[in-house]
Amino acid sequence: MRVDPLHSASCAKHDGQVFYFCSAGCLNAFSADPLRYLSQLSPKVAQPVEGAIWTCPMHPQVRQDNPGLCPLCGMALETELVSGESGPSAEYINMRRRFFFALMLALPVFVLEMGGHVFSSLHRVIDPATSTWTQLSLATPVVLGAGWPFFTRAWTSLLNRTLNMFTLIAMGTGVAWVYSVAATLFPRSFPTQFRNAMGTVPVYFEAAAVIVVLVLLGQVLELRARQRTSRAIKALLNLTPKTAHRVAPDGSDQNVPLAHVAVGDLLRVRPGEAVPVDGLVVDGRSSLDESMVTGESMPVTKAAGAHLVGGTMNQTGALIMQAQQVGQETLLSRIVVMVARAQRSRAPVQRMADRVAAWFVPAVLAIAVAAFFAWGLWGPPPRLGHGMIAAVSVLIIACPCALGLATPMSIMVGVGRAAGLGVLIRDAQALEVLEKVDTLVIDKTGTLTEGRPAVAAIISASGLDEDDLLRFAAGVERLSEHPLAHAVVAAADARNLGFAAATAFNAPAGKGAVGIVTGKRVVVGNARYLGELGIDCNAWNERASVMRRDGSAAIYVGVDGQVAGLIAIADPIKQTAAAALAVLRKQGLRIVMLTGDNHTTATAVAGKLGIGEIEADVLPDEKVRVILRLKAAGRAVAMAGDGVNDAPALAAADVGIAMGTGTDVAIESAAVTLLNGDLTGIIRARRLSHATMVNIRQNLFLAFAYNAAGIPVAAGALYPFTGILLSPIIAAAAMSLSSVSVVANALRLNRAAV
C-alpha cells in the first residue's frame, strides 16, 4: 500500500520493494478515516519495470509488458525477472496485509455469533439486534474490503467464461453476506420458513467473514511457498559482489559498481573475493571454489586463459581477468531466467486438471442449486435457511484451490530442487517426459569426453627421458597455433618443466613444426613430414598405429635427425562418464553414440564406455534424421550434446540435454542443461522427474478425493443419519486445509532422494 510522505517517513523500518506498510500506522489510518483506508485495500500492482515481462503464475501463456491482473483467473501478474535484491512479491505483501486486517475484524464477529449460541448469558449483555448490527459493521469491511480481489477475479472469470475457484469463493461469501444484510435491514420481509425457533432470521456474517480470512490465509501460504522455490537462485545471485576492482591503465584499482563494468574491462579478483562477472584469466594463478555453480566440492585451479564464472569464490592467489559477459549475459543471470520460465511452464499432465476444472465449476454450481431446493422442499425448518447453509457450504468446500495448485506447485519445487543440483530444467514438459525416456543419444566430443585434447601417453627412445622429450616438443609447439600443440605445452606446464621457445621456427600448414631448441633441431609432426626432412620413422609406425586404434592422435618427435619418441594426444573421457552410463543402462536406457568424429576414434571411445551402438561421421542434419528415425520407431528419445552441430538434434529430441560447458546455441536449443557437464546430472534429473510426477499424481489424488468426499457432506448427505449439517465455516477450513496439504506434499520434493 502506498501511503502519504509523513506516514512513510514514520515507517522507514518497514519500507518494502513495492508497498509501504506499518501495522500501527495503518491501524491509526483506519481509525481516522475508515473509508479512505478501505479504498487503499483495493488491488494494487507493482509499477512497470522497463524491459520486464509480466506473466500469470497459474497461466504462463499470459504474457504482457506491463503489470496487471490475469484475464483468465484474475491473479496478479508477476514479473519474469528475478534478482537477488528482490524482496517478497507485491501480491504476497498485499494478501498478507489483507489477511491480518480481515483477521482483526472477523474475530469479534465470530465471537459475537458463535458465543451467543454457546453462552446464553451473552444475550443478557448484548441483545441479538445489537449483535447483528455490530457484525454487519465489522464483517462488511472484511468481505467488501479485504475480500474484494476475490470478487474482481470472479467477475473476470465470468467475463472470460473461465470459471475458477474465485467464482465459487465470491458466490459463497457474496450470497452469505447479501442474505445476512437483507435479514438485518428487512427482517419482516422474510417468510416464516427462514425464521429460527426464537422467531428471528439467522444471519451468516461470521461465515462470510471467516471464509474470507481462511481463503486469504490459503493465498498467503501459497504465495509464500512459491517464493521459497526461488530462494536458492536468489542466494546464488547474492554471491555476486556489488562492486568490482577495475584495473586502470596506470595499473591502479578503481572500485566501481557492478553495473558499470563493461565487456573488455580488466578486473582484479583478490583472494577471498567472489568473481564479479564471467570472463577470462589474463594474469595470475589461483584455486577457485565453483561448487555453487557446478556442485563440485573440489577447488579448480585457474591460470591464464581459463574461464571464470561470476559468483564463484577465489581462494588463494590474485587474478587479473577480462570481462566477457556482464549484466544479463552472465551465466548466473541466464540461469535465473531459465529457472523462472521453467517454474511457470505447464506440464502436459496439467491439461487433465484443466479439462476437469472446465466442467467442475459448473457442476458444483448445479449441485449447490440442487441442494438449496432439496432442503427448501423437504428439509426440516427453517427449510430455506438450511438450504442456504447447504448451498454456501457446497460452493466453499468445492473450491478447486487444491486442484489448481496440484501441478504448478510440484513443478515449481521440482525445478527449484533441480537448479540446486546443477540441473537447469527449461520447461515442465521436459520434467514430465524425462521419466519416460528409454533411449539416450549422446554426442562424443565435449559430452562423453572433455572436449579438450590432452597428452595421453609418451613413448621416448632409449637414453631419453619422457620429460626431456616433452621439453623438446613443447619448445617448438609453444610457437604453434595448432590445437594439438596447445595440448603438448599444457602437459609440459602441468609437469612444471622449464623449456625455452624454439628459434628458427617454421610450421608448414597441415604437417607439423620445426625449430632449434637449446641448440638441437627438433621436428614435431606426422610421419610424412619427418620423412620429408630425412628422418626414418618405420621403426615407430606400429606403435603409432596402436595409439590410433586407442583413439589417440600419434605425434612424432625428431631430434637431430632421429626419431626421439611419440606423443599420444587424445580427448580424455570424463571421469564420471563410465559410471553414469552404467547406471543409465541398469535403468533400462538404450545408449547410442552420435558423433561427427571418425569411426576409428568413436569405436575406441565407445569400447571404453561399453557403448554398443555407434553413429559416426555424422553431419548435423544427419543427426536430426537419426533422432527422427528413433522417434518414428516409437522410442522416447533424449539427446545429450554440447556443440553448435548438436543444436538441431537437441531441438528435435523429446528432451534435449545440453552441457553447461558447451556452446550457447546448444544450451538455448535444449530443454535441460547440466551446469558442469557431468553426465551424472542425467541420473539426478531422471530421478527428480520420477519423484515430481509421483508427487503430482499424489496431489491430484488428494484434490479429487477431497472434493469427492467433501461435496456430498456439504450438501447434507450425512444429515439423515447423523443429524449433522456442515457449517460454511467448517467447509472453508476444510477447503483451506486441502490446499495446505497439497502445498506441504509438493514441498516434500525438497527432501526427495535424487
Side-chain angles (χ1 to χ4, degrees):
M1 180 180 66
R2 296 193 180 278
V3 294
D4 58 81
L6 180 62
H7 188 188
S8 64
S10 65
C11 303
K13 290 193 299 183
H14 302 274
D15 190 340
Q17 293 293 318
V18 178
F19 302 98
Y20 298 90
F21 170 67
C22 172
S23 57
C26 290
L27 289 177
N28 290 336
F30 171 70
S31 61
D33 190 350
L35 293 179
R36 177 175 179 269
Y37 182 72
L38 289 177
S39 69
Q40 291 173 329
L41 278 175
S42 61
K44 296 289 197 302
V45 294
Q47 297 303 309
V49 177
E50 185 177 356
I53 297 296
W54 300 75
T55 185
C56 174
M58 301 294 288
H59 299 90
Q61 68 270 28
V62 175
R63 295 168 58 83
Q64 60 188 50
D65 58 4
N66 59 286
L69 299 178
C70 175
L72 298 180
C73 67
M75 291 188 69
L77 301 182
E78 297 179 352
T79 178
E80 281 190 332
L81 298 178
V82 180
S83 70
E85 299 292 335
S86 61
S89 70
E91 178 78 344
Y92 173 70
I93 295 174
N94 190 18
M95 287 297 174
R96 186 178 61 181
R97 177 167 47 84
R98 290 175 182 276
F99 167 71
F100 285 114
F101 171 75
L103 179 64
M104 178 184 66
L105 298 183
L107 281 176
V109 175
F110 180 80
V111 170
L112 285 172
E113 177 61 25
M114 303 307 294
H117 296 295
V118 178
F119 305 105
S120 58
S121 60
L122 190 64
H123 287 307
R124 290 195 293 268
V125 180
I126 303 177
D127 65 89
T130 302
S131 173
T132 299
W133 280 96
T134 303
Q135 291 180 49
L136 170 63
S137 63
L138 293 176
T140 299
V142 173
V143 176
L144 300 185
W148 187 250
F150 306 145
F151 291 96
T152 60
R153 294 172 183 182
W155 179 247
T156 301
S157 72
L158 293 174
L159 291 179
N160 293 299
R161 299 179 181 178
T162 54
L163 303 182
N164 52 48
M165 68 178 188
F166 295 112
T167 313
L168 299 181
I169 293 170
M171 290 191 67
T173 57
V175 167
W177 181 81
V178 170
Y179 169 85
S180 300
V181 169
T184 303
L185 298 178
F186 313 105
R188 297 182 183 277
S189 62
F190 282 74
T192 56
Q193 293 93 331
F194 277 79
R195 301 181 184 277
N196 56 26
M198 300 173 60
T200 60
V201 180
V203 294
Y204 300 97
F205 287 120
E206 92 288 351
V210 173
I211 287 168
V212 169
V213 170
L214 291 172
V215 174
L216 285 170
L217 175 61
Q219 290 289 295
V220 170
L221 292 174
E222 174 196 338
L223 291 166
R224 187 170 66 179
R226 190 153 64 234
Q227 290 183 161
R228 288 181 60 184
T229 63
S230 62
R231 201 172 285 175
I233 294 299
K234 289 183 179 180
L236 190 61
L237 282 177
N238 285 332
L239 291 178
T240 305
K242 304 300 182 289
T243 61
H245 310 303
R246 185 163 58 194
V247 180
D250 61 1
S252 62
D253 290 353
Q254 300 174 343
N255 287 338
V256 297
L258 200 62
H260 293 174
V261 175
V263 174
D265 282 353
L266 293 181
L267 308 174
R268 190 184 307 277
V269 186
R270 297 166 181 164
E273 293 183 342
V275 176
V277 296
D278 295 2
L280 289 179
V281 177
V282 174
D283 188 33
R285 186 182 184 90
S286 181
S287 295
L288 276 83
D289 179 2
E290 296 187 332
S291 59
M292 289 303 296
V293 176
T294 66
E296 294 292 333
S297 58
M298 293 294 292
V300 180
T301 301
K302 301 286 186 177
H307 184 69
L308 298 177
V309 176
T312 56
M313 187 64 63
N314 184 24
Q315 293 185 327
T316 54
L319 297 172
I320 301 293
M321 66 173 292
Q322 184 181 53
Q324 288 192 321
Q325 287 88 32
V326 300
Q328 296 299 318
E329 299 301 318
T330 63
L331 176 62
L332 289 181
S333 296
R334 296 199 302 269
I335 289 172
V336 170
V337 173
M338 291 172 66
V339 173
R341 288 176 180 171
Q343 287 182 335
R344 292 186 175 93
S345 60
R346 298 166 76 102
V349 71
Q350 193 165 345
R351 295 170 192 157
M352 179 178 66
D354 292 341
R355 288 194 296 268
V356 171
W359 60 261
F360 179 77
V361 175
V364 168
L365 295 176
I367 293 173
V369 172
F372 176 80
F373 282 105
W375 279 94
L377 293 174
W378 301 297
R383 293 177 178 177
L384 295 183
H386 283 149
M388 196 205 71
I389 291 175
V392 172
S393 296
V394 168
L395 291 174
I396 296 302
I397 203 168
C399 174
C401 303
L403 184 62
L405 289 174
T407 298
M409 277 306 305
S410 296
I411 291 296
M412 286 192 293
V413 177
V415 169
R417 176 73 191 283
L421 295 171
V423 180
L424 301 185
I425 298 176
R426 186 184 297 274
D427 58 58
Q429 182 172 346
L431 192 61
E432 177 176 344
V433 175
L434 264 173
E435 73 161 354
K436 303 174 184 176
V437 165
D438 56 20
T439 303
L440 175 62
V441 178
I442 192 162
D443 173 53
K444 180 184 74 67
T445 306
T447 306
L448 291 172
T449 66
E450 297 288 351
R452 297 184 300 273
V455 172
I458 300 174
I459 302 176
S460 60
S462 59
L464 187 65
D465 161 303
E466 280 189 12
D467 286 350
D468 289 335
L469 179 66
L470 187 57
R471 187 181 291 109
F472 283 130
V476 173
E477 298 286 45
R478 167 152 296 205
L479 301 178
S480 174
E481 296 298 327
H482 196 280
L484 299 186
H486 298 316
V488 173
V489 174
D493 286 337
R495 298 191 184 195
N496 294 317
L497 300 180
F499 57 90
T503 58
F505 175 79
N506 185 34
K511 295 182 178 180
V514 61
I516 304 300
V517 180
T518 62
K520 296 183 180 295
R521 187 170 185 263
V522 178
V523 184
V524 181
N526 55 38
R528 179 180 299 177
Y529 181 50
L530 267 67
E532 291 176 2
L533 297 179
I535 302 175
D536 183 9
C537 301
N538 290 331
W540 294 82
N541 288 341
E542 180 57 33
R543 279 177 280 192
S545 298
V546 173
M547 288 181 175
R548 295 189 190 99
R549 286 195 294 270
D550 196 43
S552 301
I555 305 297
Y556 290 80
V557 181
V559 178
D560 286 342
Q562 299 293 325
V563 176
L566 292 172
I567 299 177
I569 298 180
D571 186 1
I573 295 173
K574 292 181 178 179
Q575 292 183 354
T576 58
L581 292 179
V583 172
L584 292 171
R585 272 193 293 268
K586 191 175 296 185
Q587 293 177 352
L589 262 69
R590 171 184 175 187
I591 310 295
V592 180
M593 178 191 287
L594 189 61
T595 178
D597 209 342
N598 65 78
H599 200 276
T600 300
T601 303
T603 301
V605 173
K608 294 176 182 178
L609 295 173
I611 299 175
E613 294 186 62
I614 306 170
E615 297 276 354
D617 293 312
V618 180
L619 297 176
D621 57 335
E622 295 171 333
K623 288 187 176 184
V624 174
R625 284 196 286 271
V626 172
I627 299 294
L628 295 179
R629 186 178 72 236
L630 290 169
K631 291 175 66 174
R635 312 292 297 193
V637 182
M639 166 69 187
D642 77 315
V644 174
N645 62 330
D646 298 319
L650 290 171
D654 293 306
V655 181
I657 304 172
M659 304 297 109
T661 52
T663 63
D664 289 342
V665 175
I667 292 172
E668 289 299 323
S669 303
V672 177
T673 300
L674 308 182
L675 274 182
N676 59 355
D678 188 343
L679 294 180
T680 57
I682 300 178
I683 301 171
R684 297 191 189 101
R686 279 176 52 80
R687 289 173 178 166
L688 188 61
S689 170
H690 176 73
T692 302
M693 296 312 300
V694 169
N695 194 270
I696 288 175
R697 295 179 189 113
Q698 291 170 345
N699 284 348
L700 291 174
F701 173 79
L702 287 172
F704 285 127
Y706 159 80
N707 283 301
I711 291 176
V713 173
L718 296 181
Y719 187 84
F721 310 102
T722 64
I724 296 175
L725 181 61
L726 196 66
S727 164
I729 294 177
I730 303 300
M735 179 269 295
S736 294
L737 182 62
S738 71
S739 297
V740 172
S741 66
V742 166
V743 170
N745 188 54
L747 291 176
R748 288 175 52 246
L749 283 172
N750 283 320
R751 301 187 301 274
V754 293

